[in-house]
Each structure stands twice: as structure tokens, then as C-alpha cells.
Amino acid sequence: MSRRLDHIAIAVADLDAAIRRFADDLGVPLAGTEDVPAARTRTAFLPVGDTRIELVAPLDGQGPIQRFLDKRGGGLHHICFSTDDLDADMKRLRGLGYRFTTDEPSPGAHGTRVAFLHPATTGGVLIELAEHPGEHPAEGG
Ligand code: ZN
């Protein structure tokens, strides 16, 4: 299971403006940006202590972040916990009655495999589980 708060994701329409707000105005250091085509997002990473803020913008005006912005405007989008065995966690949580937004894990930023717990089954919070490369027990990391 191996939990830590991997990141807090905030949906933004304008990534550059959001980077200026968090990095320049609030002083949170920017570690970098990454396009995640599988999620149709551009993401900026700002480490804070043992976790990080992720600013997430739509990559091409489509996808779940664009739909979120259209429906609710920008704001807190999801929180993410790390896991060392995503497949086992998905199986266990499904057994407890939780639903995921997809049947299978998908590729996330930094080479992760990720899956999202549906907010309808988590009291309204979209919760991501992320397995980092090398952390799966079968890979010996
Ligand atoms: Zn995330």
C-alpha cells in the first residue's frame, strides 16, 4: 500500500498565468512542466516539502480537465496518494465497493501508472493512486 501524499492537483485554464501566481507571487519553486498526452494535459510541478502542487491545464482544449473547467471553472481537482502496487490496490478497493473512472490504469506523468477513484464513491473527492516506476514489488524497486 505504501501511502504518501504524492501531489495535490489544481485545474487551471492558463498554465503560464498559474505558474506565475504560484512560483513568482507565492514563492513555490517550479520544478518543471510535462505534457501528458494520455490525460490530454500539460502539467507543472511545484515541490512543497515531501509533496508537490501540480497545476494541470488542458493540452488541446479537450479531455477531462477541459470538461472540469467548462463545468466548474478552475480549482482543486484531485489529490494523489502513491502506491507500491496499483493493481493490488484497485482489486482491494473494488472489493470494498469503490469504483474507478477507468477499468485499467493509464500512463501518468513521470512514467507513473495511475488510476482515479470515482468521486461518487469517495464523498466527492477525486482521488488518484500513482505507482512510480521501480516501486512495484515485482520490479524489485
Ligand atoms: Zn494527479
Side-chain angles (χ1 to χ4, degrees):
M1 223 182 298
S2 167
R3 296 278 181 257
R4 63 188 173 76
L5 182 61
D6 192 87
H7 61 268
I8 297 167
I10 298 170
V12 302
D14 182 336
L15 190 63
D16 293 327
I19 288 171
R20 283 195 296 275
R21 180 179 315 119
F22 279 87
D24 299 348
D25 300 346
L26 292 168
V28 184
L30 174 69
T33 62
E34 181 179 342
D35 289 354
V36 186
R40 303 182 106 142
T41 58
R42 266 192 84 207
T43 302
F45 308 97
L46 301 101
V48 185
D50 288 337
T51 188
R52 63 181 186 270
I53 306 288
E54 284 192 10
L55 304 173
V56 189
L59 187 57
D60 53 9
Q62 295 179 20
I65 295 297
Q66 185 62 56
R67 286 198 295 276
F68 180 86
L69 291 171
D70 290 345
K71 210 160 100 179
R72 299 164 64 169
L76 187 62
H77 187 261
H78 65 266
I79 63 172
C80 176
F81 297 110
S82 63
T83 174
D84 57 6
D85 193 339
L86 182 58
D87 297 312
D89 272 339
M90 289 181 77
K91 189 175 176 197
R92 188 177 60 82
L93 289 164
R94 278 186 174 128
L96 293 172
Y98 290 90
R99 282 195 287 123
F100 286 83
T101 59
T102 56
D103 289 339
E104 298 292 332
S106 56
H110 304 300
T112 50
R113 296 169 69 230
V114 304
F116 289 85
L117 283 161
H118 198 288
T121 60
T122 60
V125 182
L126 182 61
I127 297 174
E128 178 182 15
L129 299 175
E131 182 186 277
H132 288 263
E135 286 191 2
H136 193 287
E139 293 166 13

